[in-house]
Amino acid sequence: MYAFQTTSGSLRRALAVILGIPAAAILLAGLWSCTKTDAYDPPDLFYLYAHYAVGRNPTTVTTADFNHDGVTDVVTTNIGNNTLSFLIGNGDGSFKDQVQMKVCVEPRALAVKDLNGDGLSDMAIVCAGSDQVGIYLAQPEGGFQQAHLYTLHKIPVSIDGADLDGNGTIDLAVALRNDKIKILLGRGNGEFSDGPLYEYGDTPTSLVLKDLNADGKPDLLVTNGGRMSNAVSVWMGRGDGSFAGPTDYRTGKRPLGVSVADFNNDKLDDLFVINGEMDTFTIFLGKGDGSFQPGKESGADAGPNYGVARDFDGDHILDVAIVNIQSNDLSILYGRGDGTFRYPPRNYRTKGGPFALADFSVMTEQTAVPGLVIANNGAGSVSVFLHRGHKQAPPAQAQDNG
């Protein structure tokens, strides 16, 4: 179980369980946090708006419009009590209290996709405790119904969906902790059949499907967090449900997650990789053909665990938000437009064990301003940070629990 407490010793031991990282190495990583600074004061654009209770030990947080009212909602995977928590958005950056839903054992991550072609957002959930992918279909009257459970070997930890074989239905790619990637091919009705199984890499920690070379065929990105790899693998899609490759790009130590964004405004996909040791993240600038330049390393605070990219200061250059599990904070780093970032970051305290985050938008005076929601693994909560362009009096949760 991936449970984090606020004491540094417990954090190190728990992180060691998840990633196979020696506790001593985690301590060493904290001592090596980046201290480079610019003669610049980062803008203070965010403030803590509220904390909301969710289930035990949330590991992911995802934003989507689950009730189709045009407002962003939130769901967390709660590995500590085998549930999801749904928080329905009010449209002003606040959320209603959670509604929990029981799912398969130890839900670790999920993908929100229309899996049966009815126009509703369904969920595919990887459950590490039961070695399963659970398919939960949205119901027209609201809520979700468990449809199918697919057993995989072994320990699924990450999932994404896209049309991999060109038949107009969503397929799934699943990262398994025992150095495998499994493809499940969709039938268009919420059911899936066996696709290829790839045995490669070293302790995959995350995966993403994205068309990197604009050929209309989704490609596959996988972070390999094992000691023998420390790389992100790029697999080029063939368009028939299979992949060629891979090509490995060396990252910092223990890469935990990868996402895709354009950091230098050349309209080409770049990679954003979070490294679990030595307190770094790596940006790989894309060449447009599915290949990438050597990585540029930067740092945030102690124990970066998850990050998202967005333009937070309105200069049309992407910035990054990163949650740091050892220092219990959120770091905002402002981009220079070349894949590097200005220092120091602006840091904001969170609840215990910030593990994942997602961004969303709040409309104010016809303008969309950013919001961030953080899953706090140790506190069983999510923290909502809002942009100062949309400040209002915090609700009781923030006043009572902040």
Side-chain angles (χ1 to χ4, degrees):
M1 186 177 299
Y2 311 149
F4 291 88
Q5 308 300 321
T6 56
T7 59
S8 59
S10 296
L11 280 170
R12 291 195 299 273
R13 288 192 294 272
L15 189 56
V17 169
I18 290 182
L19 302 174
I21 299 174
I26 296 172
L27 176 60
L28 180 62
L31 296 176
W32 281 89
S33 60
C34 183
T35 59
K36 178 184 175 182
T37 60
D38 291 338
Y40 132 97
D41 184 27
D44 181 14
L45 298 182
F46 284 89
Y47 67 100
L48 173 63
Y49 177 64
H51 302 295
Y52 295 91
V54 295
R56 287 174 51 196
N57 312 124
T59 52
T60 63
V61 57
T62 303
T63 54
D65 180 7
F66 289 109
N67 60 349
H68 312 288
D69 63 354
V71 173
T72 298
D73 311 310
V74 166
V75 62
T76 65
T77 52
N78 309 315
I79 203 166
N81 66 338
N82 306 326
T83 65
L84 305 184
S85 289
F86 292 90
L87 293 89
I88 299 302
N90 295 316
D92 59 357
S94 69
F95 296 86
K96 293 179 172 61
D97 290 341
Q98 66 166 325
V99 175
Q100 289 194 20
M101 183 179 87
K102 207 76 173 175
V103 292
C104 41
V105 181
E106 295 187 3
R108 180 63 180 83
L110 56 77
V112 178
K113 304 285 181 180
D114 181 2
L115 302 177
N116 60 354
D118 64 355
L120 302 178
S121 295
D122 309 307
M123 298 183 298
I125 306 170
V126 289
C127 291
S130 55
D131 296 335
Q132 290 175 318
V133 172
I135 305 301
Y136 293 79
L137 298 179
Q139 302 301 295
E141 66 277 10
F144 292 85
Q145 179 69 43
Q146 178 181 298
H148 307 283
L149 292 174
Y150 297 94
T151 300
L152 306 179
H153 186 74
K154 120 181 181 182
I155 312 180
V157 294
S158 186
I159 189 167
D160 200 2
D163 181 7
L164 303 180
D165 55 7
N167 67 351
T169 64
I170 294 294
D171 310 303
L172 300 173
V174 185
L176 305 174
R177 185 53 59 87
N178 63 338
D179 307 341
K180 295 180 176 64
I181 304 295
K182 178 63 178 177
I183 306 301
L184 297 173
L185 298 175
R187 294 174 175 166
N189 60 354
E191 297 180 355
F192 293 83
S193 59
D194 276 344
L197 177 68
Y198 297 97
E199 299 190 41
Y200 182 84
D202 185 9
T203 317
T205 52
S206 73
L207 60 73
V208 169
L209 293 168
K210 183 73 165 62
D211 181 3
L212 300 173
N213 59 352
D215 65 353
K217 304 169 185 176
D219 308 307
L220 174 65
L221 298 161
V222 182
T223 50
N224 295 288
R227 190 171 297 278
M228 301 300 294
S229 180
N230 294 322
V232 57
S233 300
V234 178
W235 304 67
M236 303 308 295
R238 294 191 175 108
D240 60 358
S242 68
F243 295 89
T247 301
D248 286 349
Y249 293 87
R250 192 78 172 175
T251 68
K253 290 191 174 181
R254 305 288 183 180
L256 300 179
V258 59
S259 55
V260 179
D262 179 7
F263 288 98
N264 59 347
N265 287 335
D266 62 355
K267 301 187 183 339
L268 302 178
D269 286 330
D270 310 316
L271 305 184
F272 172 28
V273 179
I274 297 291
N275 304 311
E277 284 190 28
M278 307 305 288
D279 303 336
T280 67
F281 63 95
T282 308
I283 302 296
F284 296 88
L285 296 179
K287 299 178 181 179
D289 58 357
S291 66
F292 297 87
Q293 300 176 31
K296 300 178 181 181
E297 239 176 61
S298 302
D301 211 340
N305 203 67
Y306 200 98
V308 298
R310 183 164 173 173
D311 176 12
F312 296 124
D313 57 359
D315 64 356
H316 306 290
I317 294 172
L318 283 186
D319 313 305
V320 295
I322 296 172
V323 287
N324 306 289
I325 199 163
Q326 292 179 37
S327 50
N328 285 328
D329 60 8
L330 162 71
S331 294
I332 308 293
L333 294 98
Y334 294 96
R336 291 191 177 104
D338 61 357
T340 66
F341 299 85
R342 303 194 71 181
Y343 281 83
R346 176 67 67 177
N347 294 328
Y348 302 89
R349 292 291 293 179
T350 67
K351 289 285 190 177
F355 202 86
L357 81 160
D359 70 318
F360 63 101
S361 294
V362 180
M363 292 299 299
T364 174
E365 297 178 355
Q366 308 306 312
T367 301
V369 296
L372 295 169
V373 57
I374 298 170
N376 302 309
N377 183 277
S381 69
V382 295
S383 298
V384 176
F385 285 80
L386 295 183
H387 200 277
R388 293 192 184 278
H390 183 63
K391 188 168 183 178
Q392 60 187 63
Q397 292 97 324
Q399 294 170 346
D400 293 343
N401 301 329

